[in-house]
């Protein structure tokens, strides 16, 4: 019993010790900016696992990295808005990030108001407009089966999580269909909660696929099993001409503990091929 208690306390401490992981990647496409710092975070699960103090530490860590772009790859919420500690203050903290090219997000499987039983959803989704109102208050721009072009020249696509789309009756496009109308000569980033279709997105023309969801298992020995379930359960990998990035998450799901893994923010320093005759328009 004493050993179990110590393990739980240690796991709780580990869950609160946020790690910054940095990777430098290069994309062989010209862009209007020669370099871009991207902060990737996911799986905050606000309320049930990440309280106001944890969110304050997370936002401070992101601001300290001075990113140009912040991407939230789903599961900002944990199914129940009422669990969020001081939602107005939480939204204010997220609104204070203010990177140059904005904070963008996609929906995760827990970004849906549903009843939970032992961490599993039961019953049908409910209507709760507070999720969308919080996102707007926090200055987050949600991409749901949409694409946009940022001022720096990067094309950004956001997909709805496959499970969330099924339960919310949203149409989810195939990877090739999602990216069909984009300029393949310019950089393409894709936000997709689960890394289930990261390779298909790479084959469809994505240069950088940004995911979360796995928590890298969160608790040992699940972190070992993740390698059997996912092509890239955590970290950054290369596939052909694309980069596949999966963050282990800024929060957690289920018990607020981590054993064998760490909560993290994944910071990507992206460089691009020079524009013709060095005509970069943004410094």
């Amino acid at each position: 019993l004493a050993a179990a208690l110590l393990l739980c306390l240690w796991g709780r401490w580990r869950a609160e010790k946020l790690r910054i992981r940095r990777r430098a990647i290069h994309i062989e496409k010209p862009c209007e900016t020669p370099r871009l710092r991207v902060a990737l975070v996911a799986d905050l699960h606000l309320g049930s696992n990440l309280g106001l103090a944890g969110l304050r530490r997370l936002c401070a860590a992101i601001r300290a990295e001075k990113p140009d772009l912040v991407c939230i790859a789903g599961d900002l919420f944990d199914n129940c808005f009422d669990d969020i500690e001081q939602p107005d203050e939480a939204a204010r903290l997220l609104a204070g990030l203010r990177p140059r090219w904005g904070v963008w997000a996609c929906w995760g499987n827990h970004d849906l108001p549903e009843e939970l039983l032992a961490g599993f959803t039961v019953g049908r989704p409910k209507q709760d407009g507070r999720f969308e109102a919080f996102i707007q208050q926090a200055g987050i721009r949600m991409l749901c089966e949409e694409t946009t072009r940022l001022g720096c020249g990067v094309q950004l696509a956001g997909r709805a999580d496959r499970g969330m789309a099924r339960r919310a009756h949203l149409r989810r496009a195939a990877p090739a269909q999602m990216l069909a109308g984009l300029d393949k000569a310019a950089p393409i980033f894709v936000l997709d909660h689960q890394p289930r279709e990261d390779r298909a997105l790479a084959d469809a023309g994505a240069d950088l696929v940004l995911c979360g969801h796995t928590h890298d298992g969160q608790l040992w020995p699940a972190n070992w099993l993740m390698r059997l379930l996912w092509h890239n359960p955590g970290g950054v990998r290369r596939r052909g001409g694309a980069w596949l990035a999966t963050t282990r998450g800024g929060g957690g799901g289920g018990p607020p503990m981590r054993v064998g893994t760490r909560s993290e923010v994944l910071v990507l320093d992206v460089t691009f091929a020079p524009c013709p005759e060095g005509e970069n328009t943004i410094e």
Side-chain angles (χ1 to χ4, degrees), residues 38-58:
V38 181
L40 172 63
V41 68
D43 305 292
L44 274 63
H45 294 275
L46 287 176
S48 64
N49 276 276
L50 192 67
L52 200 61
L55 181 60
R56 190 173 285 113
R57 287 193 296 269
L58 178 73

Side-chain angles (χ1 to χ4, degrees), residues 12-273:
R12 177 61 178 161
W13 177 79
R14 292 270 295 183
E16 294 182 353
K17 293 292 289 183
L18 188 69
R19 173 180 293 177
I20 305 296
R21 292 182 186 267
R22 302 178 185 89
R23 281 291 306 271
I25 65 176
H26 182 71
I27 294 176
E28 285 293 340
K29 287 183 179 179
C31 188
E32 295 174 21
T33 182
R35 63 189 63 85
L36 189 71
R37 172 163 277 200
V38 181
L40 172 63
V41 68
D43 305 292
L44 274 63
H45 294 275
L46 287 176
S48 64
N49 276 276
L50 192 67
L52 200 61
L55 181 60
R56 190 173 285 113
R57 287 193 296 269
L58 178 73
C59 290
I62 293 174
R63 287 197 307 271
E65 294 299 311
K66 296 180 172 59
D68 304 300
L69 172 68
V70 174
C71 292
I72 304 175
D75 279 358
L76 177 65
F77 305 107
D78 200 30
N79 297 98
C80 182
F81 189 88
D82 291 326
D83 287 344
I84 301 175
E85 181 183 359
Q86 300 181 41
D88 288 340
E89 177 64 13
R92 188 192 68 80
L93 289 171
L94 289 166
L97 294 176
R98 294 192 183 93
R100 184 176 187 183
W101 304 116
V103 181
W104 298 83
C106 67
W107 292 117
N109 59 304
H110 285 279
D111 293 324
L112 196 64
E114 296 176 306
E115 294 292 338
L116 292 179
L117 179 63
F120 295 94
T121 55
V122 293
R124 295 182 178 181
K126 301 178 293 183
Q127 296 295 323
D128 193 339
R130 291 179 295 176
F131 280 28
E132 288 79 4
F134 179 94
I135 288 169
Q136 184 175 8
Q137 184 181 356
I140 298 170
R141 284 170 275 190
M142 183 66 65
L143 288 174
C144 181
E145 299 301 304
E146 298 171 275
T147 62
T148 188
R149 186 182 181 93
L150 305 181
C152 60
V154 168
Q155 301 166 101
L156 181 63
R159 309 184 76 201
D161 175 77
R162 63 197 304 269
M164 183 267 191
R166 183 180 65 252
R167 298 195 301 277
H169 306 292
L170 297 175
R171 181 179 176 275
R172 191 169 189 262
Q177 184 182 9
M178 181 79 184
L179 306 183
L182 298 182
D183 180 7
K184 300 301 192 296
I188 299 173
F189 294 1
V190 181
L191 270 169
D192 195 2
H193 180 54
Q194 299 188 36
R196 186 180 299 271
E197 293 185 302
D198 52 0
R199 288 184 288 184
L201 287 164
D203 293 341
D207 300 294
L208 176 60
V209 183
L210 305 163
C211 303
H213 182 68
T214 69
H215 302 201
D216 199 20
Q218 189 166 324
L219 297 172
W220 179 90
N223 53 324
W224 292 354
L225 299 177
M226 288 296 103
R227 277 69 182 159
L228 303 177
L229 300 176
W230 304 95
H231 167 68
N232 182 26
V236 181
R237 291 191 179 187
R238 184 83 166 169
R239 176 175 171 82
W243 292 95
L244 313 177
T246 303
T247 176
R248 295 165 174 87
M257 298 185 295
R258 280 187 179 266
V259 177
T261 65
R262 291 277 293 273
S263 301
E264 71 173 24
V265 175
L266 186 56
V267 176
L268 305 172
D269 286 303
V270 187
T271 56
F272 303 93

